[in-house]
Amino acid sequence: MSKPLVGIMMGSASDADVMTQGAEVLRELGVPYEIGIYSAHRTPDRVEKFASQAEERGIRVLIAGAGAAAHLAGAVAARTHLPVIGVPLAGTALSGMDALLATVQMPAGFPVATVAIGKAGAINAALLAAQILALQDSDLRKRLGEYRERKAAEAIKASEELSRKNP
Ligand code: RP5
């Protein structure tokens, strides 16, 4: 397996079902990644170590998913110059609005590219990471184009099946 170019971080094992959907997209696109649990609150030293060493280890984009008082993406952004994509996750009584605001409202100087709450965000974070890498990788750019073509074909097939079942 090649050296990871994307680091997928999440705050808890309870985030894994959503965040692994982004990992599946990277796998489909042939982008090497690593994935792990790094809690801004429970394991702050582990977050600090991973974020501060990621660039020298060859990682080029970081994805950080967390729910509730979601400080992970911001804590990571404070420790690296790599692009950080934040994925707010649902799971509390506030259904992800808490995580969305905590992730998106970064003070000037520490950008976190925040995507949608939940599954769409996890998938779009992976695609955004791939698009950043594709700026310098024409083969990956081609695979991204093929990914969209597959999604279009799936949508058309679903439409045809719907029409067939509802003549
Ligand atoms: C956040 O708190 C995690 O990212 C998770 O979304 C949420 C709940 O964590 P658990 O209590 O399920 O471990 O830090």
Side-chain angles (χ1 to χ4, degrees):
M1 180 77 173
S2 340
K3 271 172 69 171
L5 294 173
V6 177
I8 302 179
M9 311 170 75
M10 68 197 81
S12 166
S14 65
D15 301 327
D17 284 352
V18 175
M19 294 306 292
T20 50
Q21 298 188 62
E24 274 168 36
V25 170
L26 292 179
R27 221 170 18 249
E28 187 175 345
L29 291 169
V31 174
Y33 64 89
E34 65 180 85
I35 187 164
I37 297 165
Y38 301 84
S39 169
H41 308 117
R42 293 171 180 146
T43 61
D45 295 345
R46 180 172 152 81
V47 171
E48 202 277 333
K49 188 170 175 214
F50 186 82
S52 60
Q53 294 179 354
E55 188 168 1
E56 69 199 36
R57 291 181 45 241
I59 288 175
R60 291 293 166 257
V61 185
L62 289 166
I63 296 172
H71 296 126
L72 180 60
V76 169
R79 289 293 182 186
T80 184
H81 293 283
L82 293 174
V84 177
I85 306 171
V87 185
L89 299 174
T92 70
L94 299 184
S95 306
M97 278 306 292
D98 42 3
L100 173 63
L101 296 177
T103 306
V104 77
Q105 286 290 61
M106 286 297 291
F110 298 90
V112 168
T114 305
V115 291
I117 297 168
K119 175 184 170 183
I123 289 171
N124 281 342
L127 288 168
L128 185 55
Q131 288 174 196
I132 292 168
L133 295 169
L135 291 171
Q136 295 185 357
D137 181 340
S138 56
D139 288 343
L140 177 55
R141 170 70 186 78
K142 189 163 166 277
R143 294 199 295 279
L144 276 163
E146 290 162 355
Y147 176 91
R148 283 203 182 171
E149 282 167 20
R150 280 197 299 280
K151 293 295 155 195
E154 282 169 23
I156 291 165
K157 189 170 169 228
S159 176
E160 287 168 355
E161 275 171 22
L162 189 65
S163 301
R164 196 165 34 78
K165 286 179 188 159
N166 297 274

